[in-house]
Amino acid sequence: MKLIGMLDSPYVRRVAISLRAMGISFEHQQLSVFNDVEKMQAVNPLMKAPSLITDEGTLLIDSTLILEYLDQKCSADCSLFPKDLEQFTKSQYLIGIALTLCDKAVQLFMEYNRRPPEKFYQEWADRIDEQLHIGLKLLDQQVTVNNMGYLVDTRIMQADISIAIAIKYIKKKLPDLYQKHVSEKLRQFSSEMEATPLFREFIF
């Protein structure tokens, strides 16, 4: 199995950490959709990361769809999703917020760093900033900092991974927003996750 994409993408990092957490062996090939265009096109003509090549040679794209596949592939005790419906629903709620944060943080970073200055859209940037602020407030209401902060089980699950990755991406790519909107509780949660061997193996 081969995972293709750079760890500065929260979606690639999400899959890499999840693969390791599930105990699934894989090869990681760091290709950039911006800097390794020809090589990336050879792997995935759609130029999307993460891309996963299964053991059977099938190309899978989109982190959520990849993780659904991996959840089917791994043993039940290695699944990163709760079996209890109430806990599963809570997990999906948290993951939904985390992925929205990732989406909006990527959009805002691109707005500031990829769009030509003369085409910068301040109203759009302000809207994204507000969405990020709201999402971070919603997460702050859910996150605890005891017992390593695990949110839906006594071990690390997909909700924990996705939230921690979103916070780290914001810290690295949008430091001003991180200082302004990320609470001390969320910072501690992220720091605790990032300090684990699982996260340190895939440093961003």
Side-chain angles (χ1 to χ4, degrees):
M1 189 175 298
K2 184 181 292 186
L3 173 66
I4 298 96
M6 302 292 290
L7 291 175
D8 62 356
S9 161
Y11 312 105
V12 173
R13 192 166 185 242
R14 178 187 186 220
V15 174
I17 291 172
S18 298
L19 277 160
R20 188 66 79 230
M22 287 185 278
I24 299 175
S25 61
F26 69 102
E27 175 187 345
H28 182 205
Q29 186 175 5
Q30 294 213 50
L31 293 179
S32 168
V33 296
F34 295 108
N35 301 320
D36 303 299
V37 175
E38 291 185 4
K39 292 180 180 179
M40 195 68 194
Q41 282 181 326
V43 173
N44 180 356
L46 293 173
M47 292 285 292
K48 183 174 174 64
S51 296
L52 184 81
I53 308 297
T54 70
D55 292 333
E56 298 76 27
T58 301
L59 170 66
L60 300 179
I61 56 177
D62 187 274
S63 66
T64 295
L65 299 180
I66 290 170
L67 291 171
E68 287 179 0
Y69 162 78
L70 295 174
D71 190 62
Q72 293 291 312
K73 185 178 180 66
C74 74
S75 60
D77 59 342
C78 290
S79 173
L80 300 178
F81 297 93
K83 300 306 178 188
D84 175 77
L85 180 58
E86 182 178 351
Q87 291 299 89
F88 178 77
T89 303
K90 179 181 179 181
S91 174
Q92 295 295 85
Y93 169 71
L94 293 171
I95 293 169
I97 297 173
L99 291 181
T100 299
L101 289 176
C102 288
D103 291 346
K104 297 304 172 181
V106 169
Q107 288 177 18
L108 195 57
F109 175 78
M110 298 294 281
E111 187 71 30
Y112 281 116
N113 294 277
R114 292 283 179 176
R115 189 182 296 279
E118 67 274 11
K119 295 183 178 180
F120 181 78
Y121 188 5
Q122 186 63 59
E123 183 179 347
W124 178 241
D126 291 343
R127 176 186 171 91
I128 297 172
D129 186 279
E130 179 64 18
Q131 289 173 295
L132 284 164
H133 185 197
I134 292 170
L136 288 164
K137 286 177 64 176
L138 290 173
L139 279 188
D140 184 72
Q141 297 169 7
Q142 299 293 325
V143 167
T144 59
V145 292
N146 54 338
N147 281 330
M148 280 298 298
Y150 297 145
L151 301 176
V152 295
D153 206 327
T154 55
R155 63 181 178 89
I156 195 165
M157 301 290 271
Q158 186 54 234
D160 307 297
I161 293 171
S162 296
I163 290 170
I165 284 171
I167 300 300
K168 183 60 177 287
Y169 183 85
I170 292 170
K171 181 179 181 180
K172 291 279 285 189
K173 295 292 191 177
L174 301 168
D176 290 344
L177 186 142
Y178 178 85
Q179 292 297 327
K180 182 179 178 182
H181 290 322
V182 178
S183 69
E184 185 59 38
K185 186 164 56 171
L186 289 177
R187 295 182 192 191
Q188 184 175 342
F189 174 82
S190 175
S191 295
E192 289 177 349
M193 293 294 109
E194 294 291 342
T196 64
L198 183 63
F199 276 72
R200 289 204 308 270
E201 183 176 354
F202 303 100
I203 290 176
F204 167 39

